[in-house]
Amino acid sequence: MKLAIMQPYFLPYLSYYKLLKLVDKFVIYDDVNFINRGWINRNNILVGGKAHLFTVPLIDASQNKLIYEVQVSPDQVWRKKILKTISQAYRKAPQFETVFPLVEDIITDQSESVADFCLQSLVKTARFMNIDTEIVKTSRQYNNSDLKGQHRILSICQKEGASHYINPIRGQALYDKHLFCNEGITLNFIHTTPRAYPQFKNDFVPLLSILDIMMFNNQKEIQDLLGEYDLI
């Protein structure tokens, strides 16, 4: 069984979904410290031919809290503003009429925890892209918070009975293949290279939120993009 473990991100970029599609089970790693100014509650979309950062406001977010402890602001004004920005940015995109109702459903979700809010967006976008990987809601069920780094990841793999763990390429310096191998688990890293696709008549802007992919690509094109990666 192939397993991946990732922190919850809000509408992340394509590589996150490539990893999700590649594995059999995907663990949401939400009981580690929140990172201020990270990608848990924000991402980029295309506005006027450039990357534009949008942010989900939070209540008293702090790196002294675990991700699942941080709450989304209940204010509805920010939701209306984000929806307006997305609508204005993409209303002439080829897939807008199909995708925007999904965006409305995601943005208006009333989950209190940012971890749950991100999880709902992940589940809904994955379903839209025909990704049927099992997503484990929380990492807290493993009862191994006393462990750190790769030893905690290895523990989750063992508890899940995983034979294969796959991590984003940036984790190469953090994980030891021999350690995993000694426990009967194959460790690989997924490497991806952004491929350009038409974004109106602008020069291509890579590494935007998955929203950009969905607005400019039909289902077949999305599946082709999801399949482009190397395992190292």
Side-chain angles (χ1 to χ4, degrees), residues 10-76:
F10 185 61
L11 298 172
Y13 72 136
L14 181 64
S15 292
Y16 194 102
Y17 291 88
K18 290 183 180 183
L19 179 59
L20 175 63
K21 184 177 175 63
L22 177 59
V23 298
D24 302 301
K25 183 176 286 190
F26 192 90
V27 177
I28 299 297
Y29 201 35
D30 65 350
D31 58 349
V32 292
N33 289 87
F34 180 84
I35 300 175
N36 286 324
R37 302 184 68 80
W39 298 105
I40 294 172
N41 66 314
R42 61 183 193 159
N43 216 298
N44 285 300
I45 58 173
L46 187 71
V47 175
K50 297 180 181 179
H52 172 82
L53 188 68
F54 67 89
T55 303
V56 174
L58 306 174
I59 302 173
D60 299 327
S62 167
Q63 295 188 173
N64 295 320
K65 292 182 178 180
L66 302 180
I67 296 171
Y68 75 87
E69 296 174 327
V70 177
Q71 303 291 298
V72 175
S73 170
D75 179 33
Q76 301 303 305

Side-chain angles (χ1 to χ4, degrees), residues 29-195:
Y29 201 35
D30 65 350
D31 58 349
V32 292
N33 289 87
F34 180 84
I35 300 175
N36 286 324
R37 302 184 68 80
W39 298 105
I40 294 172
N41 66 314
R42 61 183 193 159
N43 216 298
N44 285 300
I45 58 173
L46 187 71
V47 175
K50 297 180 181 179
H52 172 82
L53 188 68
F54 67 89
T55 303
V56 174
L58 306 174
I59 302 173
D60 299 327
S62 167
Q63 295 188 173
N64 295 320
K65 292 182 178 180
L66 302 180
I67 296 171
Y68 75 87
E69 296 174 327
V70 177
Q71 303 291 298
V72 175
S73 170
D75 179 33
Q76 301 303 305
V77 174
W78 68 263
R79 301 175 197 269
K80 294 178 181 178
K81 288 182 177 179
I82 287 180
L83 284 172
K84 183 178 180 180
T85 299
I86 294 173
S87 176
Q88 290 176 336
Y90 291 108
R91 64 177 179 267
K92 294 184 180 179
Q95 303 300 321
F96 177 81
E97 296 297 332
T98 301
V99 175
F100 192 68
L102 171 65
V103 176
E104 291 180 306
D105 185 33
I106 290 170
I107 299 296
T108 57
D109 181 84
Q110 298 298 310
S111 296
E112 295 181 358
S113 162
V114 69
D116 288 341
F117 187 73
C118 291
L119 172 63
Q120 290 303 313
S121 73
L122 180 62
V123 169
K124 292 171 183 177
T125 48
R127 187 184 304 130
F128 178 86
M129 293 184 287
N130 298 315
I131 299 173
D132 58 3
T133 300
E134 179 183 359
I135 301 174
V136 179
K137 180 177 180 181
T138 173
S139 53
R140 300 192 294 282
Q141 66 176 319
Y142 300 107
N143 297 316
N144 59 3
S145 59
D146 56 310
L147 300 175
K148 303 297 180 184
Q150 66 177 340
H151 296 286
R152 191 175 185 195
I153 298 299
L154 182 59
S155 171
I156 295 174
C157 289
Q158 292 170 326
K159 289 176 183 289
E160 285 289 353
S163 58
H164 196 170
Y165 176 67
I166 304 175
N167 197 80
I169 192 69
R170 63 180 179 273
Q172 279 187 299
L174 304 175
Y175 297 93
D176 181 356
K177 284 195 173 187
H178 296 293
L179 177 65
F180 281 75
C181 182
N182 289 340
E183 298 298 331
I185 300 171
T186 300
L187 171 63
N188 281 116
F189 301 93
I190 184 171
H191 176 262
T192 67
T193 301
R195 174 161 68 85

